[in-house]
Amino acid sequence: MITIENLTKFYGNNKAVNNISFTINDNEILGFLGPNGAGKSTTMNMIAGYLPMTAGTVNICGNDISREPVKAKKNIGYLPEIPPVYPDMRVKEYLSFCAGLKRIPMKEKASEIKRVMNLLKIDDVKHKLIKNLSKGYKQRVGFAQALLGNPKFLILDEPTVGLDPNQVVEVRQIISDLKKEHSVIFSSHILSEVSAVCDRVVIINKGNIKAVDTIENLEKSLGGNIILHIKIKGSRATASNIIELTKGVREISKIDAEGNDFFEFTIQLDGDADEVKNSIMTELIRNNINISEIYTEKPDLEAVFVELINKTSSKSGMEELYEQIKAENPEKTTKEDNE
């Protein structure tokens, strides 16, 4: 297990990461989401031991990254947003160099390099200079160095940037397969990619964690935003009355007419979608109204992300300013002192 507690990072007076805590479980893929400038890369750099933290702890497989960096980093494979490749090296030469840095035993080096090249499908370019590779191949070479030594914990910052659609699918499958033996945290702006492979997600904005949960639970948290679409043949007035009186219906937000007696209703729900849908169907059929189409439109990860990122604080500007001053000056404990 990887445990991050009260992780904080200041750049001068700017707080890039604000006292965040979460865990990454064994054999789990954790998505790390946030808009540009949210603190994702800074957090991942601190977890990897690349950046020093201002405060907090990162414990990797029982080793504190600050107090026992060598032991902790033995368990880490890291692919930063910009792959750390040397352009004037050949692919195999570079991987051999990285294997040496990771202190992979000489007798295991050749087989380990072959393993990661086969896994990332870069064996065909092993003798090419890295500077002559496409962006996608450079990304895969960077991914290969992260996998050298078969580390327990992988940190992947935008691992599919620059890959074509086929390569994205391949890398996504590799990440899914890695779960069998590894724990993975990776960031991505492609939310469908995160939904496809992640067990849980952390959503961060302005250095603060907005949510840590499974995608299913996060989508359920926006249950009030579920939309029901019904297309009927029959009396518009009767159908409207039935829908409006059904428990769990918030409002009919739209009615589209298709001919004289065909209508499509767009309905905002507050209750359980299946229960509301079944209740409406039962009453419509009882009143001889034919249903030609009915389906629900549920919020996905993108809707959750937008909702959480755009959610405004309930605190006033002065309260937020006071809390910031208090955090930066812990010896002052009252509003009067800070004033």
Side-chain angles (χ1 to χ4, degrees):
M1 179 183 289
I2 294 87
T3 305
I4 294 93
E5 293 184 346
N6 307 317
L7 196 61
T8 301
K9 180 65 178 179
F10 277 95
Y11 291 108
N13 293 323
N14 178 43
K15 186 182 285 185
V17 177
N18 182 24
N19 198 42
I20 66 173
S21 300
F22 60 93
T23 61
I24 306 166
N25 300 315
D26 292 338
N27 306 107
E28 177 181 53
I29 300 177
L30 183 75
F32 200 47
L33 306 177
N36 291 330
K40 300 190 303 298
S41 291
T42 297
T43 299
M44 297 177 90
N45 283 334
M46 287 190 288
I47 295 172
Y50 178 70
L51 276 180
M53 60 197 75
T54 305
T57 60
V58 175
N59 192 288
I60 298 174
C61 302
N63 301 299
D64 189 306
I65 194 76
S66 297
R67 297 180 181 180
E68 302 173 293
V70 175
K71 289 182 179 179
K73 290 178 183 180
K74 282 183 177 179
N75 296 297
I76 296 174
Y78 181 36
L79 173 61
E81 186 174 1
I82 300 174
V85 294
Y86 290 100
D88 291 321
M89 279 185 161
R90 300 185 189 278
V91 171
K92 189 174 180 180
E93 178 188 13
Y94 166 73
L95 293 176
S96 178
F97 170 71
C98 292
L101 292 178
K102 293 190 174 187
R103 300 180 182 178
I104 295 172
M106 187 62 67
K107 62 181 180 181
E108 299 174 10
K109 183 185 287 189
S111 62
E112 181 62 10
I113 291 171
K114 186 174 181 60
R115 180 185 74 85
V116 298
M117 285 196 302
N118 288 337
L119 189 62
L120 273 301
K121 297 185 178 178
I122 55 175
D123 188 70
D124 58 329
V125 297
K126 64 184 176 184
H127 297 306
K128 288 189 176 182
L129 290 172
I130 293 175
K131 67 182 177 183
N132 293 332
L133 298 179
S134 67
K135 185 176 180 181
Y137 265 107
K138 288 176 183 175
Q139 188 75 8
R140 287 198 273 176
V141 172
F143 199 162
Q145 68 77 27
L147 292 173
L148 280 170
N150 205 28
K152 178 67 177 173
F153 176 44
L154 293 166
I155 304 171
L156 310 175
D157 196 354
E158 301 285 350
T160 58
V161 168
L163 303 184
D164 64 39
N166 286 331
Q167 292 169 339
V168 168
V169 172
E170 290 173 359
V171 171
R172 185 186 298 172
Q173 186 59 53
I174 290 169
I175 293 172
S176 296
D177 292 341
L178 288 171
K179 176 183 172 181
K180 298 171 185 175
E181 298 180 3
H182 307 267
S183 298
V184 181
I185 177 172
F186 83 96
S187 66
S188 176
H189 284 104
I190 306 172
L191 299 185
S192 60
E193 183 175 89
V194 174
S195 296
V197 301
C198 289
D199 300 298
R200 290 189 303 142
V201 296
V202 174
I203 298 178
I204 185 173
N205 189 34
K206 296 180 180 178
N208 296 288
I209 286 183
K210 296 296 184 180
V212 182
D213 211 333
T214 63
I215 294 171
E216 181 182 3
N217 286 342
L218 288 172
E219 290 174 352
K220 284 181 180 178
S221 71
L222 292 183
N225 291 336
I226 294 177
I227 297 171
L228 180 64
H229 297 272
I230 304 177
K231 188 181 291 186
I232 63 104
K233 179 181 180 182
S235 168
R236 169 177 172 167
T238 302
S240 296
N241 188 53
I242 289 170
I243 293 168
E244 288 174 349
L245 294 176
T246 301
K247 184 179 179 181
V249 170
R250 186 197 305 171
E251 64 174 345
I252 299 173
S253 58
K254 189 178 179 183
I255 302 176
D256 292 323
E258 298 182 8
N260 294 328
D261 54 357
F262 282 91
F263 303 95
E264 183 174 354
F265 293 81
T266 302
I267 307 157
Q268 303 283 340
L269 303 184
D270 278 331
D272 180 88
D274 290 333
E275 289 184 7
V276 176
K277 183 169 67 174
N278 290 337
S279 296
I280 292 174
M281 289 174 64
T282 300
E283 287 303 311
L284 290 175
I285 292 169
R286 186 177 295 163
N287 285 270
N288 298 316
I289 294 175
N290 294 323
I291 303 168
S292 59
E293 188 176 6
I294 183 167
Y295 65 94
T296 53
E297 180 184 328
K298 296 184 180 181
D300 55 12
L301 183 57
E302 183 176 350
V304 173
F305 180 84
V306 171
E307 172 92 2
L308 291 171
I309 294 303
N310 293 329
K311 185 179 290 184
T312 56
S313 172
S314 59
K315 298 176 183 178
S316 69
M318 286 302 297
E319 286 175 323
E320 289 186 339
L321 178 61
Y322 165 67
E323 289 195 0
Q324 181 178 350
I325 294 172
K326 184 177 178 181
E328 296 173 5
N329 301 274
E331 69 279 3
K332 297 180 180 181
T333 56
T334 66
K335 287 187 179 181
E336 291 74 20
D337 286 335
N338 284 316
E339 291 167 353

